[in-house]
Amino acid sequence: EVQLVESGGGLNQPGGSLRLSCAASGLTVSSNYMSWVRQAPGKGLEWISVIYIDGSTYYADSVKGRFTISRDNSNNTLFLQMNKLRVEDTAVYYCARGLAENDYWGQGSLVTVSS
Amino acid sequence: DIQMTQSPLSVSASLGDTVTITCRASQGINIWVGWYQQKPGKAPALLIYGASNLRTGVPSRFSGSGSGTDFTLTISGLQPEDFATYYCQEADSFPYTFGQGTKLE
């Protein structure tokens, strides 16, 4: 059974940093495209980043230069390092398998950016 | 970026009804569309991929169609567990844009 479990969310001030983790079981992170998708409170879904099997990374314009996606192959974990946080980054962050048409999702981790 | 325009944004229906949700892409994307169902407080769940392929385990009352710019999700014979929000997503190119969502109530 595939499980993705996010952690690391919380309250942070504008300009701050936070790192989200996504621990995977039942699939190998390094053998899959892995994405992060977020959802602001009461809003729709926004794709923000993907890491390819070969390690290439891509970002939405809204987070480019501030967020970094990475993985730890030995611990089968995906990460999202979020720097220079803005109020508009407040959202539930989901990790998911695939580029798009994502078939497995974590339960989500709430990030709140507020002064 | 490709824009995905969903309609309607909300729809009222009753048990047993057939509901159709549409998604229009701002440019042709072949068959690269997925459809998701999301219930409050839960992660989205993939229903359809490649415009018309039903994900394993998804009830056959869900179906998808379309290619190019116009896509539809049809739910035939609504069941109580189908009342949720539905999203389309283009899977053609970055940034894999989602539609605005359709709330089925």
Side-chain angles (χ1 to χ4, degrees):
Chain A
E1 180 193 6
V2 173
Q3 276 200 312
L4 299 172
V5 180
E6 296 102 338
S7 60
L11 176 63
N12 212 293
Q13 292 190 332
S17 298
L18 207 57
R19 188 176 82 156
L20 300 181
S21 300
C22 171
S25 58
L27 67 81
T28 301
V29 166
S30 60
S31 299
N32 287 275
Y33 298 101
M34 298 294 297
S35 295
W36 287 96
V37 176
R38 70 182 180 184
Q39 186 170 35
K43 302 297 184 183
L45 300 164
E46 179 188 16
W47 176 90
I48 57 171
S49 185
V50 65
I51 185 166
Y52 279 24
I53 296 169
D54 69 1
S56 302
T57 58
Y58 298 89
Y59 302 91
D61 287 346
S62 58
V63 306
K64 197 175 296 181
R66 301 188 299 122
F67 291 10
T68 303
I69 189 172
S70 64
R71 66 191 180 206
D72 179 343
N73 296 345
S74 59
N75 288 302
N76 207 29
T77 300
L78 180 73
F79 300 104
L80 185 69
Q81 178 67 44
M82 302 185 292
N83 298 331
K84 301 178 182 178
L85 284 164
R86 304 169 179 169
V87 171
E88 56 265 34
D89 294 322
T90 295
V92 174
Y93 286 74
Y94 297 101
C95 62
R97 183 177 84 158
L99 283 172
E101 299 174 315
N102 308 97
D103 54 359
Y104 293 103
W105 294 65
Q107 84 286 356
S109 184
L110 177 63
V111 173
T112 303
V113 184
S114 174
S115 55
Chain B
D1 296 355
I2 297 169
Q3 305 303 314
M4 301 295 284
T5 304
Q6 255 182 265
S7 63
L9 298 184
S10 67
V11 57
S12 294
S14 301
L15 295 177
D17 284 354
T18 294
V19 170
T20 298
I21 299 167
T22 66
C23 204
R24 175 162 289 176
S26 59
Q27 63 189 69
I29 54 173
N30 200 345
I31 60 165
W32 305 120
V33 163
W35 289 95
Y36 299 86
Q37 177 193 70
Q38 187 180 32
K39 296 182 179 179
K42 300 294 186 181
L46 181 68
L47 301 172
I48 301 281
Y49 62 94
S52 62
N53 299 288
L54 194 67
R55 183 187 178 191
T56 301
V58 174
S60 59
R61 63 181 179 273
F62 291 92
S63 63
S65 65
S67 67
T69 60
D70 295 312
F71 303 88
T72 62
L73 172 71
T74 299
I75 313 169
S76 303
L78 277 173
Q79 298 298 302
E81 60 269 28
D82 300 336
F83 292 90
T85 300
Y86 293 85
Y87 294 91
C88 61
Q89 182 194 28
E90 62 91 1
D92 179 80
S93 60
F94 298 117
Y96 300 128
T97 307
F98 291 87
Q100 309 98 304
T102 296
K103 187 172 184 179
L104 174 54
E105 51 193 359

